[in-house]
Amino acid sequence: MTSTDVTETGVTESAATPLLEARELTRHFRVGRGFGRQMLHAVDEVNFTIGRQEIVALAGESGSGKSTIARLLAGVYKPTSGEILYQGRSTSTYRSRKDQLAYRGDVPMVFQDPFSSLNPAFRVSHGVLRSLKLHRPELSRAERFEEAERVIEAVGLSPAGDIMNRYPYELSGGQRQRIGFAQALAHKPKLILADEPVSMLDVSIRIGLLNLMAELRETQGVSFLYITHDIASARYVADRLMIMYAGHVVETGPTESVLQNPKHPYTDLLLGAVPDPRAPLSTGIEGDTGEPPKVIDPTPGCRFRWRCPLAIDRCHSETPLLRVLGKNHEAACHVAEPDAN
Amino acid sequence: MPDQLLEVRDLTVEYDTGDRPVVAVDRVDLDVHAGEFVGVVGESGCGKSTLLFAIAQLLSSPAAITGGTVRFQGQDLVTMTEKKLSALRWRDFSVVMQSAMNALNPVKSIGAQFRDTIRAHDEPVADERPAEVLRLVGIDPIHLNSYPHQLSGGMRQRAMIAMALLFTPDLIIMDEPTSALDVVAQRSLMVQIKELQKQLGFAVIFVTHDMSLVSHFSDKLVVMYAGQVVEFGDTRAVFDAPQHPYSAGLLDAFPSIRGPKVPLTGIPGTPPNLASPPPGCRFQPRCPKAFEDCPKIEPELYQVGAVQARCLLNVKEPVQERTS
Amino acid sequence: GCGGGDKPIGDAASSNPSSSAGKGGGGTGQYKKGGTVTIANVGGQTWPCQFNPFNPAVNQVALGFVYEPLTFVNVLKAGATTPMLATGFAWSPKKDSIVFTIRDGVKWSDGQPFTADDVVYTFTRMKEQPALDLYSLWTGAGLTSVTAAGNKVTLKFKAAAEPYFFNFANQVGIVPKHIWSTGEAASKPATWTNTKPIGTGPFTVESCSGNNISYVANGNYWQPGKPYVEKVQYPAYLDNNPANLDLASGKAQWGGQYIPNIDNFYKSKSPENNYWFPPTANVALVPNNDPSRPATSKLEVRQAIAYALDREQISKIGESGYQPAANQTGVVTPTFDKYFDKDALTAAGYDKPNLDKAKQLLQTAGYSESNPLKLNVITVTGYTDWDASLAVVKQQLAKVGIELTVQDLQQQSYNQKLYTGDYDLAYSSLSGGPTPYYELRQLLYSKNTAPIGKQANSNYSRYQNPEVDKLFDQYAAADEATQVKLIKQISSYMIKDVPIIPTTESVDWYQYNTKDLEGWPTQDDPYAQPAPYNIPDVGQVLTNLYSKSAQK
Amino acid sequence: MSAVVAGASAPVASATRRPRGGLFRAILRNRKAVVGAVLLFLFILLAAFPGLFVPGAHHDPQAIGDLPLQKPSGAHWLGTTGLGQDVYAQLIYSTRESLVIAVVAGLGATILSVIIGVSAAYLGGFADDGLSMLTDIFLVLPTFPLIIVLATYAGKGNLTVIIIVLILTGWSYGARQMRAQAMSLRNRDFLESARVRGERRSYIIVVEVLPTMISLIVANFLGAALYSVLTAAGLQFLGLGDPSSLSWGTMLYWAQNQGALVNGLPAWALSPGLAVALLGVSFALLNYAFDEISNPALRPVRRRRARSAS
Amino acid sequence: MRYLIRRLGFFVLTLWAAMTLNFFIPRMMPGSPEEALRQRLSKGGAVVTPEQLRTVLAEFGFDPGQNLMLQYVEYLRSMVTGHWGVSIGSSLGSPVTTLIGDALPWTLGLVGISTVLAFVLGTLIGTVAGWRRGGLIDGIVPPVFIVTSALPYFWVALLLISLFAIGSDPILPNDFNYDQGLTPAFTGEFVWSVIKHGILPAATILITAVGGWILTMRNNMVTTLAEDYVRMARAKGIPGRKIMFGYAGRNAFLPNLSGFAMSLGFVISGTILVEYVFNYPGLGYMFYNATVSTDYPLLQALFLLVTLAVLICVLLCDFAVFLLDPRARTKG
Ligand SMILES: Nc1ncnc2c1ncn2[C@@H]1O[C@H](COP(=O)(O)OP(=O)(O)OP(=O)(O)O)[C@@H](O)[C@H]1O
Ligand SMILES: Nc1ncnc2c1ncn2[C@@H]1O[C@H](COP(=O)(O)OP(=O)(O)OP(=O)(O)O)[C@@H](O)[C@H]1O
Ligand SMILES: [Mg+2]
Ligand SMILES: [Mg+2]
């Protein structure tokens, strides 16, 4: 799977360079030490783009590599191969701390767990103030405080002056998660990587944060990579949906298009499993126990083939690539039919 | 066997925290009939697990039942001796815990844990029963020799359910058995539970924080908020016409993957701290429909059509005192 | 009977071993046999059950008990001799050769006869195996040959060797050739464990375990009727406290222990509990005489210290009076009264403290109140009495304006500093000998010293004076009267140069219980050094003890 | 000993939770902590102003008197030593050295544990392997024999030597715990957040990690201090300290040496040990209470009648 | 397999480190066997020159003139091959193996038994205390044993002595391993004597060591009892005793087991003090003695032995955890 024509077909359609582009992004992890060394393919040759002021949802089952992609983009992990182009420039060309800081300022991250993403030893303003100090060094101390108050208020926490001086344990989960957004917002970002930012929260609070995301996109013009395994919430906020399975992006396209007309059998399975009180109970694949695969030293072939009701011989020998099957709608499946129109 | 399998009245549970006790379960009533699937929903920390453990008499300090009765098959479990309880346990009602990783003893094989259970009761059990129930939930009996950590999350949950079926009890109490699973696995397990229930006829109390999950499976629905039951009724009735603003808000907080895309609001604010609940109605600080009486009068459960709701908006006729 | 020595050195008052108890008679069957004596002397370890007399770590339980010397030399009686395996000895006129007459009729404890050959063998082995020659007889004393002719054994030396008589006649135990010439005893005599020792001594080892050595009377012993006591128990003690307790309770009858508060703890417990602490050597402040030490190399400073000390007080407070006060001549009294020049001491004003003189001397040396003399004295950790003594010394010196700092050191560090001369003042003691010559020679003879940084043998003060050396050199060949004169001359240098400042006299710690046992050495009858750790004196005591209950 | 007590340290999640201003209140509310703190405070007072607690006649605790081995009396509250020194005065004046050993050695060992433990966890790879191995080696090395050998041969047996030896042998247990905790912190979201923010590694370790480990560090210090008190006293008791110094261990050494017990002076033989024990107890109580404070599961509970009202 | 190799590597490395430390530390410090010997000899009144002493020591296998590295290599070889030489300290000339052989049974008997007893007892009491959370035992256990676990060994020893072994006719002996007059044999008298002499030292070790185990076990137990599987066991109607030992106890015990091995080093330190106070002629006392008298061969052998003992115990506990904990089994 070395062809690069996917990138060409995938990206050339948008005239301007996308905000961020991943090319053949790959990350492997070594598991076990010494003799029993094996490679876990967490993310394998993934291509995607994120446009300006766009919310891209990344969904998929647990362990499919969603967080790994976020971490690769955030620069926590180095890619095993492939590259990340930010505003057309590869991040691997960043040498100076200034370049790196600039990128980090533009692409912050919001974490999944509001209970562990704030340092319990500091007031909740700590992270916001540090971000300001690092990324907007021109501000004076007082200005930083002002600015912090502003962003904390911007995420709907008030009175900001009071909230700022609390310790994390004095805030509820929803409030903490908002602080997480405030931290990301502090330095005028272009793209926020949000790794399951609402999954740990109660349903009653979730929607508020999703609304906040949409609002931030509108008012501040930031883009989001919204990672979730909750398809319904992805539909609620995202313009585009990417579905991952076992380290591969198996389907991507405009949210509605993917939901109404899933091309990949995994997407089908996933959508069927989403409980929806307003819809009748759908039938999933009979006998599927939903066990996700571990991708250790994989052989070529479709990674979903063991669970796939439609699998053909070819699926066992050849890894399917993303194919354009509809308007902006791509899927990596040998048997999926293109749209009629 | 009476139709009324379980009858919980005025059940109150307190956690002793040193200064002020936390009333995690506050005067809860609950009825379960044989073969019924009762869903209990509510947000994290509202006292769902505490309620289940109180019913099963599994609380340990600092929690204690400070009031109420739990009648199971006509006997009060609260006042029952540990010895008599032991005899009832697992034979007549069993429990499936939230996380199977923690609920299975990590140092004993699945088979050994089955054996321990069988040995603890003098119920005659065929030797192949463990294998049989494992097969029932779709696990190869070969795993009787496996240790919990050798099974995947889904398999562990299934093994737990198999274990709960060991003596074919009348009631199985389940505490978020699927919350650790992936959506696909979650759905598959739910379908299986439902099928087993149909097949074997046991009643289920099913706790979850995901309202949509139980929508298709449960017969009755109990909505809890801050230690209290705020709405109770047939599942469909609650979904179609929620009578408590909290239930309504919960339903509103679920985006759907089908149908028109509507903006949702959710519920502003945060659940109260149970050590110092707000005065009057506990939902009142977050309630979009609150009026001046709400902080003053503590509402009771009122019958509203097919359901009961704990909301002053519904004060038409107080719920009848039920006799046991 | 047993013959006397031919030519005893020194005071020849007692020459018959059995008469030493002073109770008259030839000693044949004087007392009935019976009884047991238990010794309490802390060894700080369990017994290794080795009885090799050449192994310095274990010879305390072998010599005197099982192995005997040719002649016993009594330190407490200025070197009076008692014939043992040799009935007598004769020096050549130049004192460079000595002939021992070997006793007839002595049998080894395995029944084999003892002969002159055994004596020759013992000394010859020491030449062949230098590790056996603990007293450096062949290398240091100048022994050149040991030959036997009939019952005569002749030791020839390069030069006059009388000072070594104490070593070769008294301290070397004679071993049986027929045992030591075979097997491991022959191939590795120094390390041979010798668990079942065969000797000529009054006792044989009955059994030995880590906890206890049990000796029984040697049926073949050559002194008729002796030993009177039939058994000796020598338990291993790891610590002073239990040993002291056993002594106090009478469970052990013979002690070699330092017991704090002895009158209260020991003596008051029973009228039969007795002690006697005979002095044998000096405990002294050793000033570093080396010129590299600006203060202590000054005569005035040393003198000032000597004048400032009130030795009686040191003895009384620091040593609870157990150790008597010493004097500046370096001659231990009353043990060596004969050599003591009291007049010289008084003339120099050292007989009592003289603070004015001390202050004046310090002034001469350039010290004053504004420029006080600060000195450091090293001592050994764990020597409580020394610490107390030094506390007193410190107070006394403070009175004349000397600031003394006491530095307690671990034994090893202390030794290191002392031997290599890395100190101002050291509190120290050495062992004595049958006459003051032995101690003074260790302290003052220039061949016993070494440059700073090198280990000195015994002259740690680094005192060097050719005239004193000459006096020591003359001693070996001199007759007895001259020897006394020589020692008095040497002690005059002690007064004049103050190379060493004696404070108290170190003693033998000795406790004895008279409930059942009699025949103990006492102040009135000091027939041997009485503490059980003295070899071979322990043999003398054991052959004199008898059980009272057995006499009935 | 200390290892065992410290072993019961709290799980990370709760250990890192720091109530604002509440630590002091939490201590006040815990009975064990109060007893421990009061004891420690008392010892600190004794160490700082020993003169206040000693009657004027005995202000020089080393002064040699002419009444040795006296039983306790009005003049000498705990009797006198073999040199006639006042035992009570010695006891009070000894507090300082014993406390200094505990605190300095405890601090030193804790600092070393933090440095080694945290760098092992943070550097990872070979550095981690090496440092962990080193820690494990020091952990299983029989330290006390090692201390004896060190203290004996390191010459004077003075305070500095003892403290250094205690530090060298006392850090390993803590380092292991520090490493474990730092490892578990390593991938906590707030640290990742700092990394994503663009913080430097050194900043993260010093500013973000260490404060969250405070509770473990304090527990560790208390454990190490306890260990130091006991070990130092043991050393001095064996005569491997500086025998002319004033400390409880040295007092015990002299008492043992001069047969305090057999001479019927239990007050002299036992009181310094009691002081060591009390100081140790105060550290142990604080340590345990600290565990309880940071891990509420361990707190004592009143066993309520489960079905009182029904 | 990999696990095994790692553990073995650790074992060898630690041993080597211990041996190296043990070789160099004494030699880097002032003092030497010659001086120690010389000091001892002067008590008997003998004046022996340093040269003569070196001759004697050389005969016993100690040659200080040799190159240090050569000595080191020689030392490592002899340690490994078991040629531990002869004592050059207060037991000059006794083979080190004999000395250790004589002392070892006493230490094993006294310290071994009481340490294991303390561990077992502590674990049991801790289990019960943790199980009956809030009960009478649990009310007493933590405060009391926090105190005992902070007591110095030697002080407890002294206290016991002053309570039981002081005066002219003490209840119990406080010194040595058996009455001095007896010869070791399997007679009632001898065995009784051994027991009598062992009571106080054993009690000392028990009192000071048991507290720590009780506290850790109790705390582990409390933590374990909060686990779901314990609640689950109750839900299954499994009898209390079985839950206490089979479910909670066993799982709470596992971390303690490795703790036990690791803390053996501490136990040995206590041993030295206890044996010293009670003059118990075991390895601890011997160690002290060997140190004081600069007895290199004995010191080295003892250190090796002690390290070996700790390491073997660590390995055994690893192995036990390996057997008892299926998780560890698959991880390896
Ligand atoms: N640092 C790491 N070392 C080894 N393996 C890793 C590491 N990080 C992730 N993995 C593995 O990579 C795979 C993908 O992990 P990732 O966290 O990206 O999944 P995810 O899609 O975010 O899952 P979830 O929904 O559970 O968060 C998993 O199998 C995981 O075990
Ligand atoms: N040990 C305790 N001490 C004090 N309060 C407690 C304790 N355990 C639980 N609580 C309180 O009791 C309440 C109910 O807890 P419970 O575990 O029953 O909630 P839940 O509804 O099961 O939540 P979740 O969905 O998170 O499982 C919570 O508010 C919690 O804070
Ligand atoms: Mg993830
Ligand atoms: Mg719960």
Side-chain angles (χ1 to χ4, degrees), chain A residues 168-313:
Chain A
Y169 78 97
E170 294 172 300
L171 298 184
S172 73
Q175 288 173 317
R176 282 186 235 192
Q177 201 60 298
R178 279 166 197 269
I179 295 288
F181 276 102
Q183 258 182 49
L185 277 183
H187 32 78
K188 304 231 161 86
K190 302 268 172 37
L191 166 65
I192 295 179
L193 306 168
D195 187 2
E196 310 202 22
V198 296
S199 70
M200 304 282 276
L201 300 178
D202 274 317
V203 274
S204 68
I205 310 166
R206 251 183 224 186
I207 270 302
L209 279 162
L210 292 178
N211 287 339
L212 175 66
M213 277 168 64
E215 185 194 326
L216 290 173
R217 187 246 305 253
E218 294 309 322
T219 57
Q220 323 254 338
V222 286
S223 302
F224 280 90
L225 178 68
Y226 171 54
I227 295 173
T228 183
H229 50 240
D230 177 4
I231 306 274
S233 71
R235 180 189 183 216
Y236 186 71
V237 290
D239 310 313
R240 216 140 52 77
L241 184 57
M242 282 197 288
I243 307 286
M244 279 193 87
Y245 187 81
H248 284 161
V249 170
V250 295
E251 183 157 1
T252 167
T255 314
E256 289 304 327
S257 169
V258 172
L259 292 181
Q260 303 312 325
N261 192 5
K263 300 285 181 194
H264 198 279
Y266 174 68
T267 317
D268 218 14
L269 177 69
L270 190 61
L271 295 178
V274 177
D276 189 344
R278 298 182 190 94
L281 188 61
S282 64
T283 47
I285 297 166
E286 213 46 51
D288 188 282
T289 53
E291 300 295 336
K294 277 260 166 199
V295 204
I296 295 173
D297 290 341
T299 50
C302 176
R303 291 186 184 163
F304 187 61
R305 61 188 185 268
W306 316 111
R307 291 166 72 184
C308 183
L310 310 174
I312 56 173
D313 282 351

Side-chain angles (χ1 to χ4, degrees), chain C residues 44-45 50 55 133 211 457, chain E residues 38 50 52 91-92 94 176 289:
Chain C
Q45 59 166 340
Q50 299 185 28
N55 181 338
D133 190 4
N211 288 15
N457 280 346
Chain E
R38 186 173 170 187
Q52 181 57 29
S91 308
L92 183 68
S94 301
F176 242 86
N289 228 357

Side-chain angles (χ1 to χ4, degrees), chain C residues 36-41 43 45-52 57-63 65-66 194-197 203-216 230-237, chain E residues 176 178-184:
Chain C
T36 301
V37 57
T38 303
I39 304 175
N41 171 40
Q45 59 166 340
T46 51
W47 296 127
C49 288
Q50 299 185 28
F51 298 91
N52 186 336
V58 298
N59 59 10
Q60 275 185 34
V61 293
L63 285 173
F65 291 90
V66 181
N194 191 19
T195 48
K196 297 250 173 319
F203 288 90
T204 57
V205 174
E206 183 193 39
S207 67
C208 176
S209 71
N211 288 15
N212 189 35
I213 307 172
S214 184
Y215 300 90
V216 283
E230 286 205 297
K231 257 192 168 198
V232 179
Q233 300 288 3
Y234 206 156
Y237 288 95
Chain E
F176 242 86
Y178 54 87
D179 286 329
Q180 261 114 336
L182 297 175
T183 18

